[in-house]
Every structure is written in structure tokens, then in C-alpha cells.
Amino acid sequence: MATERHVIKTYLNDEEKARIDQLAHQLRLSRSELLKRLLMNTKLPSASDFAAWQGIRDLLKVNADQARLGNLFKLALDEPLSADLLLKFDSLNRDIEATQKELKAAIGDIRMQLQPGKNLQDKS
């Protein structure tokens, strides 16, 4: 199948090649993607973008831990327990669910700063 893509060659000295390689590594892009973005004046990722995405990954891990904890509490609620302990479990379960909602909101806020045109859909 034919492709619409074209290869463009250029010659660089060692210093120029090293600079492009350094910048591509710093931005976590291939040389090709870096040059395309520079040519098309497309936004380049910043250090704050990387930190924000790492923050989202960390918050998603916490959210998953919260979900597992909530599931363990639900299993414990199925066991015969005293009424007082059941009330405490119910309260903890509500706290876990509230924390999960707050985490999802925080993830959505960070993502909106990174990608203003995209929405994080709530799947709960």
C-alpha cells in the first residue's frame, strides 16, 4: 500500500545532531516528531506537562487502592458483625467513596489544564 509520507534528508554536523538528540530526549519525542512539531509550530511538551501527567497516574493509583479498600469493606460487611461495627464500616465506606470522587475531580482538573478541549468522563 502506497504511503502519503515523505522522507526528507538533511545534513548536520556533530554539534547540531547532538543538540537535536538532546532536545528530543528532554522532550521525550523522537527526532522526527520533534522536527515535525518545530516545523508546524505545534506545542512542545514542557516539564510541567510531564509532572502533571505523573500526578494523574499517581492519583489514579490511589483511586484504585481506594476502590480495593472499599471492596474489602463490602466483603467485611457481609460477615456477621455487631451493629456498632457495621455502622463504622458504613461510615468508612462512605468516606472512601467521597475520597474517590474528590480524586476523580482532581484528575479532571489537572487533565483540563493539560488538554483544555478534552473532558474526563465520569464512569461511575
Side-chain angles (χ1 to χ4, degrees), residues 2-82:
T3 179
E4 300 274 331
R5 299 170 59 125
H6 304 280
V7 175
I8 297 176
K9 285 185 170 182
T10 187
Y11 294 93
L12 304 172
N13 63 33
D14 290 340
E15 182 182 329
E16 294 164 336
K17 181 184 176 295
R19 176 69 180 123
I20 286 177
D21 287 343
Q22 176 192 19
L23 189 56
H25 177 74
Q26 181 182 358
L27 298 175
R28 302 176 189 175
L29 298 172
S30 66
R31 274 190 228 135
S32 178
E33 183 63 23
L34 171 65
L35 294 173
K36 279 192 278 187
R37 288 187 184 199
L38 289 171
L39 177 68
M40 302 307 291
N41 198 26
T42 305
K43 180 183 180 294
L44 295 173
S46 69
S48 64
D49 291 343
F50 296 127
W53 284 113
Q54 183 60 48
I56 286 176
R57 283 189 293 275
D58 293 343
L59 287 171
L60 287 171
K61 287 178 186 176
V62 171
N63 188 54
D65 290 341
Q66 289 280 320
R68 282 189 289 278
L69 184 57
N71 289 334
L72 287 173
F73 276 123
K74 287 177 184 175
L75 285 174
L77 289 172
D78 290 339
E79 298 296 318
L81 301 169
S82 69

